[in-house]
Amino acid sequence: MEKRKEDKKEHILNIAEKVFSEYGYEGASTRLLANEACVNMAMISYYFGSKDGLLKAVLERRIAGLRKELEEVRDQDIVSWKKISMVIDVYLNRVLSNNCFYRLINRELSLAQRSELGEFISDSIMRNVHVFKEVIEEGIQNGSFNPVDVEMTIASILGTMYYMVNSSQVASKMLDKDFLDPEVVQHEIRPRIKQYLLDYLKAYLLKNESENK
């Protein structure tokens, strides 16, 4: 019985993520969410309390899942360069494989009238950014990374990733690649973005490349 409840809850969350991404918070009525998930509105209320509660559950599920992956990398006993490379790989994989989710985040953060939700999103994301920050600061402290502006370094990395997702039509023309084709994204776009970020960080962040292989 409990498994059936969890399966139903996950189903609602999966559908809600797509609906919120396409229509935004304001455009995604509870009735539309229920219809798309093939459940009644009372079930959404039962599991999530309200449309606000459903949206927060959608956001927290993805953000917390990413945080767990990042923390697992952070806690490994490996050289700092390998660690930052793995962190980028984890983050990039999430961003490109869940692009509708990141468009949803960008949409909601851009709406000043929903400041409470914006605070919830930004606070949740910052917990992930903090893990990113810890990895870079560890490398600085052990002498393998240059003493860079950590926050701006993170902004440059994430800015590149988010631009490719949130401006996919422009990015498709710029790279002459189809961002709507999952195979192209996985085998051509993702490796290219990662290689660019690693080349950038080698030049800017890495103190002694030979010591960090």
Side-chain angles (χ1 to χ4, degrees):
M1 186 65 175
E2 286 300 317
K3 186 178 187 303
R4 288 179 62 190
K5 284 184 177 180
E6 284 303 308
D7 288 345
K8 180 62 72 175
K9 190 174 180 179
E10 282 295 303
H11 169 70
I12 294 172
L13 286 169
N14 289 335
I15 297 300
E17 183 175 315
K18 294 177 182 178
V19 173
F20 280 130
S21 177
E22 183 175 354
Y23 296 98
Y25 178 86
E26 301 299 338
S29 68
T30 305
R31 184 177 300 278
L32 174 61
L33 289 161
N35 288 342
E36 291 293 319
C38 297
V39 300
N40 56 49
M41 290 188 288
M43 188 168 289
I44 291 178
S45 178
Y46 172 75
Y47 283 122
F48 306 103
S50 64
K51 188 170 76 166
D52 267 11
L54 176 55
L55 179 56
K56 287 182 178 180
V58 166
L59 297 171
E60 180 57 25
R61 179 180 65 156
R62 291 292 187 190
I63 295 171
L66 174 57
R67 187 179 313 126
K68 183 175 184 293
E69 287 191 69
L70 293 174
E71 288 172 346
E72 287 173 353
V73 173
R74 178 199 62 192
D75 296 338
Q76 290 189 43
D77 185 19
I78 54 178
V79 297
S80 296
W81 176 250
K82 180 66 174 176
K83 195 172 289 191
I84 194 67
S85 176
M86 291 175 66
V87 164
I88 288 173
D89 207 34
V90 167
Y91 222 116
L92 184 58
N93 184 57
R94 284 279 183 149
V95 169
L96 291 179
S97 63
N98 298 296
N99 54 9
C100 67
F101 171 73
Y102 287 93
R103 283 197 295 270
L104 167 61
I105 285 180
N106 184 67
R107 181 199 294 264
E108 294 305 324
L109 286 176
S110 68
L111 298 175
Q113 65 266 33
R114 294 195 50 75
S115 58
E116 181 183 343
L117 181 60
E119 284 296 314
F120 172 82
I121 296 172
S122 58
D123 287 347
S124 298
I125 292 175
M126 279 307 300
R127 289 197 287 273
N128 290 356
V129 170
H130 185 70
V131 180
F132 221 131
K133 183 178 179 181
E134 288 177 321
V135 171
I136 296 177
E137 288 179 339
E138 178 188 283
I140 294 173
Q141 290 166 8
N142 66 34
S144 56
F145 293 167
N146 290 312
V148 298
D149 184 326
V150 177
E151 290 77 16
M152 290 306 299
T153 301
I154 295 170
S156 297
I157 295 168
L158 298 184
T160 298
M161 296 182 190
Y162 290 153
Y163 180 82
M164 290 297 174
V165 169
N166 294 319
S167 304
S168 57
Q169 287 187 328
V170 175
S172 289
K173 294 180 179 180
M174 184 166 56
L175 301 183
D176 194 25
K177 300 293 180 183
D178 184 4
F179 272 70
L180 297 179
D181 186 332
E183 289 295 313
V184 172
V185 171
Q186 178 64 23
H187 299 294
E188 298 184 50
I189 295 172
R190 182 175 177 273
R192 183 172 176 181
I193 296 173
K194 183 182 179 184
Q195 190 58 56
Y196 164 76
L197 290 172
L198 292 180
D199 288 345
Y200 156 69
L201 290 174
K202 278 181 182 178
Y204 177 66
L205 183 64
L206 197 58
K207 182 174 287 187
N208 189 331
E209 183 176 343
S210 64
E211 294 178 0
N212 290 278
K213 290 182 178 178

